[in-house]
């Protein structure tokens, strides 16, 4: 149901983007390109075959923004909202998925939560719009500044990675602008936290205490961003093609921004293709981890990563229980985390494998593109523009799987009582 | 204990190889190179910084062969044998590891099994020696043919990948020699099955029925080899730098051989560096899967791969149980397989990450080298010869982890009764 609904929205978006009125030149784009752009928008990825600013008309921009909002603020919450508007009861199965995704102990508080979620998201986007517009007004007419403000606030908060800058480096012109950097990183991080964490954050005065989920998300995000920034800074410190010639402040800001953007924002202030191989590979790993569950970002999720780290620590210490913040995780949840991760690695490798046969580019570029698509990050070493049709379809597949895969898989791995009619006898086999 | 013993053997080997008498030129090699060669031999990897045939003396060759025998026919079985010779009781912990590794339901039959294991291995090596010598005698004096016969039979059966050919393409001169190809593939495959499977195979008349383990190993190996050969053939069919210009028979034989060699033999009949990127990446995945448990080969093992495939199939079908050959696998074993795989991916990525900073080579070359080292395969796209000291140490680490990691990890993941003093309260966290 959810996969189908999402597919319909993407197809509708592709249809709209295929209209002559969506192109700035009034020349309709090819169906594959329309599908690619619609998928990239609805999956909040941000990989683009055309420059968004110059190739699409204002109508095209609004279609993309709508897709970003639907895909970002959450297909999940939207689906519930639609169900409420249509006064149709959502099925128990969907409720359970929502419950899992929103980590709410009871189904009762769900509707209230969905309303709250959308309220928070729109409020943050509004604040982002104002903050962006104030700065953009220095560089362009006020009307255009508002337009850019709205577009970028929505795109950045939803970790969508679309921009109107007209160059591949998206926010490159603001690379050393502390204000734009701060606003953007704020929006990315808030969008990547996921709504449960946002709700916990905004209501901390009333609740007094963070949930385990929020603690894990906040600490893992902080550690990933800090470690990522330090490592990018070290690796790129003397790379004159990227930030080697800049001042220390610029270097540090750039490293921090690119660490944050791998959470799955996809906007940049520099050209990733100029980075060192080691940095690029490190960013691939960061992109693969991605943002937090129930957020506008992708990847295997910070919580999954936390469980993996916990499992490794437990192993090293010879303990059987995986413990996070003094809470033991159920064996079944650890299994879920490991399986989801492995499944995601499998999909990325499959996509990489296909792209390695269809595209004529360096392997790292291909792996970067595949991971970026799957993590719905939208960073690119420059492969997107030159993709073959088969390559575009592969990236479309990766973006779709990346946005919906982990969630539906997590659901599929959940306990399903009453479905096992008979079980086979247990067999023994040697592992490792 | 096992890790320590293995380390001591490697260090002793490095010391011997460092002696002037081990070099053909009587110039002692550097300690890092000696350590690298000793690790490569003891971990039956076959990555070499020097050409084995010309750089080492006959004494050096025998040191390498001894290390290969110890590392290949099995540190595990050797350790038990030593324990028997020294009339020292092996600890229960080691017995349990052996039991796990040899899949024997009872500890009682273990000693008999170890004797049998060594008997079979030596018999196969003897047959291999005779078969090789017969063919080599056409190309060189009889004494040298015997010498080459012994060396290659031991090296190939133990999936060690060392050769005396004097060129990087190891068996390139026999690329279209059906006899050498057949003998080599036979030795590789038998060595890669593991001793439980060999015992099952040799005693099928008495036992009448294969164990689940043997069924899984045989079928997965067959499928991997067949699929691997077909895909390599397709990818390389028109690649004139590799086999594109050869006859169809030569092409098919070469594809089959290179599919077999990724099981973790490491001998080649062509230059992998000339292959297409897609083929190279595909071979990386094959190398990562590797051979079977308790064998002379490395990788995550065919059985682990079978469990992963079974888990994916179960997921797709919405079943909870992972079933292989109508046997249900315990959830705990599936968890083991998934965790071991993920851990191995982590190690390979860590090694790749380090190599990406220390080496100046294309990313795919680095990933290939890291996976080859970890899978103790020994294939290379040519990076080994130009490694920095830091790079060599990284590869040494990868080979060591690759040989001992999966086994010790599998043991570490096993149930350990009586070690949990207290447990934390269970916490909930969202995955995916
Ligand atoms: K994105
Ligand atoms: K090998």
């Amino acid at each position: 149901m959810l996969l189908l609904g999402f597919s319909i929205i993407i197809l509708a978006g592709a249809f709209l983007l295929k209209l002559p009125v969506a192109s700035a030149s009034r020349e309709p784009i090819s169906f594959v390109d329309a599908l690619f752009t619609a998928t990239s928008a609805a999956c909040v990825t941000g990989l683009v075959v055309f420059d968004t600013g110059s190739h699409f008309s204002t109508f095209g921009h609004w279609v993309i923004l709508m897709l970003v909002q639907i895909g970002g603020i959450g297909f999940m919450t939207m689906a519930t909202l639609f169900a409420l508007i249509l006064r149709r009861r959502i099925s128990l199965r969907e409720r359970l998925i929502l419950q899992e995704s929103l980590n709410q102990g009871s189904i009762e508080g769900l509707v209230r939560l969905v309303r709250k979620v959308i309220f928070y998201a729109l409020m943050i986007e509004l604040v982002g719009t104002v903050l962006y517009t104030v700065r953009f007004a220095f560089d362009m007419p006020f009307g255009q500044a508002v337009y850019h403000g709205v577009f970028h606030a929505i795109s950045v908060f939803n970790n969508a990675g679309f921009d109107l800058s007209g160059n591949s480096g998206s926010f490159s012109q603001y690379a050393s602008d502390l204000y734009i950097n701060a606003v953007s990183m704020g929006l990315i991080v808030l969008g990547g936290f996921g709504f449960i964490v946002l709700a916990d954050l905004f209501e901390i005065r009333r609740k007094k205490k963070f949930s385990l989920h929020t603690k894990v998300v906040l600490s893992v995000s902080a550690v990933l961003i800090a470690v990522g920034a330090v490592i990018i800074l070290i690796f790129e410190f003397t790379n004159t093609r990227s930030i080697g010639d800049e001042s220390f402040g610029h270097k540090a800001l750039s490293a921090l921004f690119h660490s944050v953007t791998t959470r799955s924002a996809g906007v940049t202030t520099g050209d990733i293709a100029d980075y060192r191989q080691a940095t690029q590979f490190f960013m691939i790993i960061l992109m693969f981890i991605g943002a937090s569950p129930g957020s506008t970002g992708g990847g295997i999720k910070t919580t999954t990563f936390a469980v993996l780290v916990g499992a490794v620590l437990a192993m090293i210490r010879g303990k059987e229980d995986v413990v996070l913040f003094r809470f033991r995780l159920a064996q079944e949840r650890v299994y879920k985390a490991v399986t989801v991760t492995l499944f995601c690695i499998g999909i990325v490798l499959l996509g990489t494998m296909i792209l390695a046969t269809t595209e004529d580019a360096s392997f790292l570029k291909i792996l970067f593109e595949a991971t970026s698509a799957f993590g719905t990050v939208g960073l690119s070493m420059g492969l997107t523009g030159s993709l073959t049709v088969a390559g575009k379809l592969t990236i479309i597949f990766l973006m779709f799987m990346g946005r919906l895969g982990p969630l539906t898989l997590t659901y599929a791995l959940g306990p399903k009582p009453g479905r096992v009619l008979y079980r086979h006898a247990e067999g023994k086999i040697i592992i490792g």
Side-chain angles (χ1 to χ4, degrees), chain A:
Chain A
M1 208 327 260
L2 282 161
L3 295 176
L4 185 69
F6 211 67
S7 307
I8 289 172
I9 287 168
I10 289 174
L11 286 175
F15 172 76
L16 291 174
L17 290 174
K18 178 101 182 65
L19 296 176
V21 71
S23 297
S25 63
R26 298 293 180 263
E27 278 285 328
I29 59 178
S30 76
F31 179 71
V32 169
D33 288 338
L35 185 66
F36 190 97
T37 309
T39 311
S40 183
C43 298
V44 288
T45 308
L47 289 172
V48 286
V49 276
F50 307 117
D51 173 58
T52 312
S54 58
H55 203 95
F56 290 103
S57 65
T58 307
F59 173 76
H61 293 161
W62 283 107
V63 171
I64 290 173
L65 271 194
M66 278 305 298
L67 290 171
V68 165
Q69 284 283 39
I70 294 172
I73 291 198
F75 183 73
M76 295 303 303
T77 43
M78 281 293 182
T80 326
L81 191 72
F82 286 157
L84 290 174
I85 291 170
L86 297 174
R87 300 220 173 263
R88 226 184 52 193
R89 289 172 60 92
I90 55 172
S91 73
L92 183 64
R93 186 192 251 221
E94 280 168 294
R95 281 196 189 211
L96 284 170
I97 298 182
L98 275 163
Q99 185 184 349
E100 173 71 14
S101 128
L102 296 170
N103 195 28
Q104 292 300 298
S106 70
I107 299 180
E108 287 71 37
L110 204 65
V111 172
R112 222 168 342 124
L113 187 78
V114 170
R115 284 207 197 112
K116 215 157 59 180
V117 149
I118 293 170
F119 175 73
Y120 284 144
L122 293 178
M123 284 310 294
I124 295 173
E125 286 181 355
L126 186 64
V127 172
T129 302
V130 172
L131 292 176
Y132 272 134
T133 305
V134 168
R135 177 65 186 80
F136 289 150
F138 286 90
D139 300 332
M140 53 186 83
F142 187 72
Q144 202 191 348
V146 173
Y147 184 53
H148 278 222
V150 171
F151 190 93
H152 289 114
I154 293 177
S155 173
V156 173
F157 173 72
N158 285 300
N159 277 279
F162 283 87
D163 67 87
L164 300 176
S165 67
N167 60 54
S168 65
S170 55
F171 278 4
S172 298
Q173 61 192 111
Y174 299 110
S176 51
D177 186 319
L178 196 59
Y179 181 81
I180 289 285
N181 269 273
V183 172
S184 304
M185 288 192 285
L187 287 173
I188 293 169
V189 168
L190 285 177
F193 275 163
F195 298 118
I196 306 121
V197 177
L198 289 184
D200 257 19
L201 281 178
F202 288 130
E203 291 163 16
I204 183 62
R205 255 182 265 174
R206 191 164 57 76
K207 290 194 178 169
K208 296 262 166 55
K209 205 163 148 265
F210 286 146
S211 65
L212 173 65
H213 178 77
T214 299
K215 277 188 209 161
V216 171
V217 166
L218 292 180
S219 51
V220 173
S221 300
V223 168
L224 282 176
I225 289 171
V227 171
V230 168
I231 291 192
I232 293 175
L233 183 64
I234 293 171
F235 283 178
E236 294 300 316
F237 205 83
T238 57
N239 183 357
T240 51
R241 281 175 304 134
S242 61
I243 52 173
D245 289 337
E246 309 289 342
S247 68
F248 182 79
H250 184 125
K251 280 179 185 173
L253 189 62
S254 176
L256 181 62
F257 189 85
H258 285 101
S259 176
V260 169
T261 202
T262 55
R263 280 286 63 68
S264 76
V267 284
T268 61
T269 60
D271 195 344
I272 310 292
D274 289 337
Y275 277 17
R276 290 215 170 93
Q277 269 193 171
T279 320
Q280 290 162 343
F281 181 55
F282 180 67
M283 287 178 80
I284 288 176
I285 294 173
L286 290 179
M287 292 195 296
F288 184 74
I289 300 171
S292 304
S295 78
T296 59
I300 58 165
K301 307 296 179 303
T302 50
T303 47
T304 310
F305 180 68
V307 175
L308 297 182
V309 173
V312 169
L313 290 180
M315 233 178 270
I316 290 170
R317 289 182 194 151
K319 296 268 166 69
E320 208 169 332
D321 285 345
V322 175
V323 176
L324 293 177
F325 291 100
R326 289 161 189 266
F327 279 100
R328 170 170 55 86
L329 297 180
Q331 179 79 357
E332 165 249 330
R333 236 153 243 263
V334 178
Y335 174 64
K336 238 188 214 185
V338 193
T339 311
V340 166
T341 306
L342 205 60
F343 185 81
C344 294
I345 290 175
I347 298 284
V348 170
L349 291 188
L350 178 67
T352 305
M353 189 75 219
I354 297 171
L355 289 173
T357 66
T358 63
E359 308 306 309
D360 180 30
S362 90
F363 180 76
L364 188 57
K365 218 173 183 175
I366 290 173
L367 183 64
F368 195 97
E369 189 87 7
T371 314
S372 175
F374 183 80
T376 70
V377 179
L379 295 174
S380 176
M381 283 167 63
L383 186 63
T384 328
S386 62
L387 284 172
T388 60
V389 172
K392 281 175 190 169
L393 293 174
T394 308
I395 295 288
I396 290 172
F397 164 76
L398 284 171
M399 294 192 288
F400 192 80
M401 288 301 292
R403 189 64 180 143
L404 295 171
L407 183 72
T408 46
L409 179 65
T410 308
Y411 170 66
L413 284 175
K416 274 155 297 184
R419 291 195 58 181
V420 184
L421 294 173
Y422 72 98
R423 299 182 84 179
H424 290 277
E426 191 177 324
K428 282 206 172 180
I429 192 175
I430 306 169
I431 301 301

